[in-house]
């Protein structure tokens, strides 16, 4: 396996070429977006870096960051947190910066932007610009308990390349269930992704951690910027020969969601159908 090391300056140049640093397109016509936050470069490394993609998360983010830092500062490994805001129309970046300024210095919190809209683009940006040994992300609603990191780190330290939370593997449970429509869509999505990501029961849970070189290797071939990016990333990891460990979790649906069933649902199914067509072309 070739290990690809991308320095932050290279990433910034590539990002700027692909996506000029303009105000990201708003995802909805709800309101005028705020100015994007500056892309910081060359973050220091740690044992673990947690990225939190955040879209209009000004109300949930302070509690999430507080809880995350509280947990991480008591762990035997060193950690950093990076919030990625791209296109929020509320004060997500301002709120995150305020928390960052007052956070426990043992767990630095940073805020970065991303020229391209979408959760996938935000996560990709954070992971590719990290210097930490292990990197990953979880959702700003803490639907997967932050304590899951303890088991995730045990697997990573034992040599796992990818450890992902799963709501559909034996031992998992729903503390708060999703609305019926999301459950139905989720079931259809799982059926569709079964042949793309082999042996994985849940590609969509927002909690995934990786050995950095492994995920960097996979991410350079990833293009999906929306909610279906996980499928492509997991497929690329498997394609490069990496195993994926699924951790059963006690998952809670958080009331609010930025996932728009029509807009994001159609885009996600479309992205997966494209991956299936590409896989079929390869097979023939
Ligand atoms: N940076 C960024 N984060 C996003 C975007 N869309 C969703 N997110 C984040 O992705 C995570 C999952 O979104 P959420 O609304 O909880 O969706 P759900 O769990 O699928 O219902 C949250 O942390 C969101 O703030 C986006 O376009 N950009
Ligand atoms: Mg959520």
């Amino acid at each position: 396996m070739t290990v690809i090391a991308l320095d932050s300056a290279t990433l910034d140049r590539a990002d700027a070429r692909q996506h000029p640093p303009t105000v990201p397109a708003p995802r909805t016509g709800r309101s005028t977006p705020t100015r994007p936050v500056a892309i910081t470069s060359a973050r220091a490394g740690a044992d673990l870096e947690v990225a939190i993609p955040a879209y209009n998360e000004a109300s949930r983010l302070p509690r999430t960051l507080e809880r995350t830092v509280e947990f991480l500062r008591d762990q035997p490994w060193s950690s950093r947190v990076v919030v990625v805001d791209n296109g929020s129309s509320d004060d997500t970046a301002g709120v995150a910066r305020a928390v960052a300024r007052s956070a426990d210095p043992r767990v630095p919190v940073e805020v970065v932007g991303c020229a391209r809209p979408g959760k996938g683009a935000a996560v990709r940006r954070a992971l590719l610009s990290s210097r930490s040994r292990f990197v990953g992300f979880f959702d700003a609603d803490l639907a997967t308990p932050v304590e899951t990191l303890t088991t995730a780190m045990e697997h990573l330290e034992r040599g796992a390349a990818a450890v992902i939370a799963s709501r559909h593997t034996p031992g998992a449970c729903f503390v708060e269930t999703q609305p019926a429509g999301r459950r139905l869509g989720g079931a259809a999505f799982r059926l569709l992704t079964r042949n793309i990501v082999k042996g994985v029961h849940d590609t969509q849970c927002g909690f995934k951690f990786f050995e950095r070189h492994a995920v960097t290797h996979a991410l350079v071939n990833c293009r999906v910027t929306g909610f279906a990016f996980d499928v492509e990333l997991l497929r690329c990891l498997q394609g490069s020969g990496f195993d994926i460990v699924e951790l059963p979790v006690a998952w809670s649906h958080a009331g609010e969601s930025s996932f728009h069933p029509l807009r994001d649902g159609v885009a996600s199914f479309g992205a997966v159908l494209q991956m299936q067509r590409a896989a079929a072309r390869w097979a023939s």
Side-chain angles (χ1 to χ4, degrees), residues 26-30 55 227 258-268:
R27 292 170 18 128
T28 68
R30 284 192 295 257
Y55 177 74
F227 278 92
S258 61
F259 185 91
H260 190 284
L262 201 60
R263 179 194 62 210
D264 298 316
V266 168
S268 298

Side-chain angles (χ1 to χ4, degrees), residues 47-104:
D47 296 328
L48 172 70
E49 185 164 289
V50 176
I52 304 182
Y55 177 74
N56 288 350
E57 296 284 2
S59 59
R60 298 199 276 210
L61 208 49
R63 175 75 197 113
T64 296
L65 287 173
E66 201 179 292
R67 179 72 203 98
T68 302
V69 169
E70 220 173 69
F71 172 80
L72 291 174
R73 73 169 179 221
D74 294 336
Q75 304 311 312
W77 63 80
S78 64
S79 309
R80 313 178 60 80
V81 177
V82 58
V83 175
V84 197
D85 166 62
N86 53 349
S88 291
S89 53
D90 69 1
D91 194 24
T92 294
V95 162
R97 272 197 222 97
V99 177
R101 277 194 293 273
S102 59
D104 188 319

Side-chain angles (χ1 to χ4, degrees), residues 27 52-57 60-61 83-88 92 112 114 116-123 137-143 167 178 182 204 206 225-227 229 251-260 263-264:
R27 292 170 18 128
I52 304 182
Y55 177 74
N56 288 350
E57 296 284 2
R60 298 199 276 210
L61 208 49
V83 175
V84 197
D85 166 62
N86 53 349
S88 291
T92 294
V112 302
C114 171
R116 202 170 208 189
K119 179 182 177 184
V123 169
F137 68 94
F138 56 63
D139 291 349
D141 53 17
L142 283 183
R167 298 159 293 185
Q178 288 177 300
R182 280 299 292 272
Q204 295 314 107
T225 56
F227 278 92
F229 78 97
W251 191 86
S252 308
H253 172 71
E256 283 170 35
S257 171
S258 61
F259 185 91
H260 190 284
R263 179 194 62 210
D264 298 316

